Amino acid sequence: MCTMEVGSAHMPGGCGKQQAQKEASQAPETPKPTEVFLLQAFMMSGNLVCELRCRGTTTMEAAKMRIARHCGIPAHNQRFLHDGEVLEDARTLESCTMLDTTLFGVDGMMVVQLVVNGTSNIARNVRELGRSDDPDIAIDGVLGDLVDTVLRAEHQLSELVRPKGGTQLSAALGRGKRAELVHWMVQAFTALRFDDAILHSIVLTLDRYYTTCSASSDTSNVQSVLLGAVCTEMKLVGADEFPPGHWQQVLCHICHGQIELKAILKSECDVLARLNFQVGAPTPLAFARELGCGAPPDAEIGRGAVELASFLLELALFDPTLQYCRPHVLLAGGALSAALRVMEVETPSLRQGCREAREAIFQDLMFYDPENLRVAEQEALCCEGELLVLWLTCSEGHGNLEWALFYPTVEGKFRGRDQLRSVASNEVIASAVRACGEARGQC
């Protein structure tokens, strides 16, 4: 989506000293519909994209079409904003000047300045796939124009189902019992070689379910609820990975044959009914993998950042407050930023590439929700700092965190992966914490 920040003002042109004094003593007049406007479009970096001369009666829709012809940004991916208000397509440039009390002009023309943020880096990288010589890869390039629309839909669904805060969840299940359950899943799903996405989705399903329960609710059936969530997730993943017959065997293996399939299916139905059958919502890990697709094409940085961010997001699973206090896309952005911070501290030669990747990620965050994520960078940096502090606290083995006892399991899991860079020393993590604090102070 293209977001445009509209500002406008009017100063008298050079019409002689007396005329200037006369105009200075009077309130600015409403521009006439036939007046010529100078439309200036800037990128977020401050570079001027184009200057267009338009009539005051030119609508936002018509302006978008002209900008599309000059800049190559599709009109449907453009949005005009003023003080957080989305300007409708039918609104005219003339009406924009009435939003401010101070007006200015250039060579007798009214000026409307727009800050243009083009399509997301994710969309551009997907569109680049269309240039591949491999037809199986090139065909994915046609999806480039749909990417930003999908990003917004994913964020909306995530916010719809995200448990707000961890207080109610902790009251229903208990922080200690929940941490033990997550720890068991980490061990079991690693042994079963489940993709990490399955673990994150099942934790989200369980947390959503227990958020609907009261503090006095019976949690003795937690094993059945867990198996019901696992059953749903395997079906969502699809028959290619969990064909009929196989997923039933997996369920039997997880519970050691102690719970009949009929009881598991009944529990699954109960969980789905409690969640109004809203499943398949994106998790922070899904957003992190998605945002990683928009980073500059440096294989070492991109793969290392996503893998290290996955490690941090798995640690966050043990802390319901950190997991749910902000939109999941911001937590994902914070995890990626933290990963890049550690990489640039640990390997100074990667510093420039890491900073470029972080900038691309922060740019893409606002495309998920242009109206409400306009301070996405600050919020993501807050998430980054909290994740790094959590990592350092657990790594040092101190603090009053009940889930710190489970840290060695998570660390051991990710240390065993060839793709993951060696988990940083405490000194490197502490340096990353300080660097993040400095970045927050400059933001």
Side-chain angles (χ1 to χ4, degrees):
M1 168 157 302
C2 169
T3 303
M4 305 191 178
E5 192 77 20
V6 179
S8 58
H10 188 137
M11 281 172 45
C15 301
K17 183 176 180 179
Q18 293 182 347
Q19 181 66 20
Q21 291 176 344
K22 179 180 179 181
E23 290 186 1
S25 64
Q26 297 177 352
E29 297 180 358
T30 301
K32 299 177 181 179
T34 57
E35 193 162 9
V36 177
F37 282 71
L38 181 64
L39 183 63
Q40 295 179 333
F42 295 85
M43 295 301 292
M44 294 292 289
S45 62
N47 296 326
L48 180 65
V49 176
C50 64
E51 288 187 343
L52 306 175
R53 285 168 172 73
C54 309
R55 293 289 180 182
T57 53
T58 300
T59 63
M60 298 294 108
E61 182 178 19
K64 290 177 183 180
M65 296 296 292
R66 291 193 63 184
I67 290 175
R69 289 194 295 271
H70 281 76
C71 308
I73 302 172
H76 63 272
N77 283 339
Q78 299 179 33
R79 186 176 299 236
F80 293 175
L81 299 178
H82 184 272
D83 289 338
E85 175 191 359
V86 179
L87 302 181
E88 298 179 355
D89 283 348
R91 198 157 191 168
T92 64
L93 291 177
E94 175 188 18
S95 67
C96 289
T97 63
M98 301 176 187
L99 297 173
D100 296 298
T101 56
T102 308
L103 308 172
F104 76 92
V106 174
D107 296 332
M109 291 183 292
M110 302 295 297
V111 175
V112 175
Q113 295 180 329
L114 309 176
V115 178
V116 182
N117 191 7
T119 54
S120 68
N121 297 294
I122 302 172
R124 284 198 291 272
N125 286 350
V126 170
R127 199 174 293 125
E128 282 296 313
L129 296 176
R131 300 185 179 184
S132 174
D133 295 331
D134 186 340
D136 292 334
I137 296 178
I139 194 171
D140 291 335
V142 302
L143 301 175
D145 290 340
L146 303 176
V147 167
D148 290 341
T149 301
V150 173
L151 300 185
R152 293 193 298 276
E154 287 178 338
H155 174 67
Q156 290 172 0
L157 176 59
S158 175
E159 284 299 278
L160 178 65
V161 304
R162 174 175 63 92
K164 304 304 188 287
T167 304
Q168 187 174 355
L169 172 61
S170 300
L173 190 57
R175 294 172 73 90
K177 187 171 184 178
R178 178 185 177 278
E180 292 176 358
L181 183 61
V182 173
H183 182 237
W184 180 88
M185 284 190 284
V186 170
Q187 293 177 304
F189 295 170
T190 300
L192 290 168
R193 296 187 177 182
F194 281 2
D195 187 279
D196 292 342
I198 296 178
L199 168 66
H200 286 255
S201 292
I202 291 174
V203 170
L204 176 60
T205 297
L206 290 175
D207 287 343
R208 290 176 58 203
Y209 174 82
Y210 281 106
T211 299
T212 66
C213 301
S214 64
S216 59
S217 298
D218 181 18
T219 58
S220 61
N221 65 337
V222 64
Q223 187 177 16
S224 296
V225 173
L226 168 61
L227 290 170
V230 173
C231 185
T232 296
E233 189 59 31
M234 288 192 292
K235 294 173 183 177
L236 289 173
V237 170
D240 289 342
E241 189 168 345
F242 297 102
H246 177 57
W247 61 266
Q248 292 92 332
Q249 293 175 358
V250 172
L251 290 172
C252 182
H253 177 73
I254 291 176
C255 68
H256 302 287
Q258 295 180 359
I259 302 179
E260 295 183 354
L261 179 61
K262 181 178 179 180
I264 295 174
L265 294 177
K266 181 181 183 303
S267 179
E268 177 190 22
C269 186
D270 293 341
V271 171
L272 290 174
R274 184 74 67 90
L275 302 181
N276 295 320
F277 295 89
Q278 293 177 328
V279 293
T283 64
L285 179 63
F287 284 126
R289 290 176 172 178
E290 199 168 70
L291 286 165
C293 294
D298 185 311
E300 181 180 7
I301 291 177
R303 184 171 59 248
V306 172
E307 194 67 17
L308 188 50
S310 301
F311 164 72
L312 292 170
L313 290 173
E314 196 147 315
L315 283 183
L317 288 177
F318 290 89
D319 185 347
T321 301
L322 175 57
Q323 180 77 0
Y324 297 115
C325 67
R326 295 183 184 88
H328 278 165
V329 70
L330 293 179
L331 182 61
L336 284 168
S337 182
L340 292 166
R341 192 86 58 190
V342 169
M343 291 170 65
E344 67 181 77
V345 170
E346 194 172 33
T347 311
S349 61
L350 298 177
R351 183 169 300 163
Q352 184 59 33
C354 288
R355 291 179 177 178
E356 291 176 357
R358 182 182 294 106
E359 182 178 351
I361 290 166
F362 286 164
Q363 287 175 355
D364 282 349
L365 284 177
M366 67 167 291
F367 286 94
Y368 288 87
D369 188 351
E371 288 80 17
N372 297 317
L373 295 182
R374 299 178 68 196
V375 291
E377 181 175 350
Q378 295 94 317
E379 290 294 316
L381 286 172
C382 289
C383 289
E384 175 188 345
E386 292 170 8
L387 287 167
L388 288 172
V389 169
L390 173 63
W391 183 9
L392 183 61
T393 301
C394 291
S395 180
E396 291 178 341
H398 62 73
N400 297 320
L401 305 178
E402 52 265 67
W403 50 86
L405 297 174
F406 308 128
Y407 172 76
T409 300
V410 179
E411 183 189 39
K413 168 185 173 179
F414 282 85
R415 272 190 184 279
R417 295 184 175 181
D418 294 337
Q419 309 99 308
L420 182 66
R421 299 167 55 84
S422 60
V423 176
S425 66
N426 290 344
E427 292 76 12
V428 170
I429 303 171
S431 296
V433 171
R434 291 192 294 270
C436 176
E438 292 173 0
R440 290 173 61 182
Q442 297 171 1
C443 188

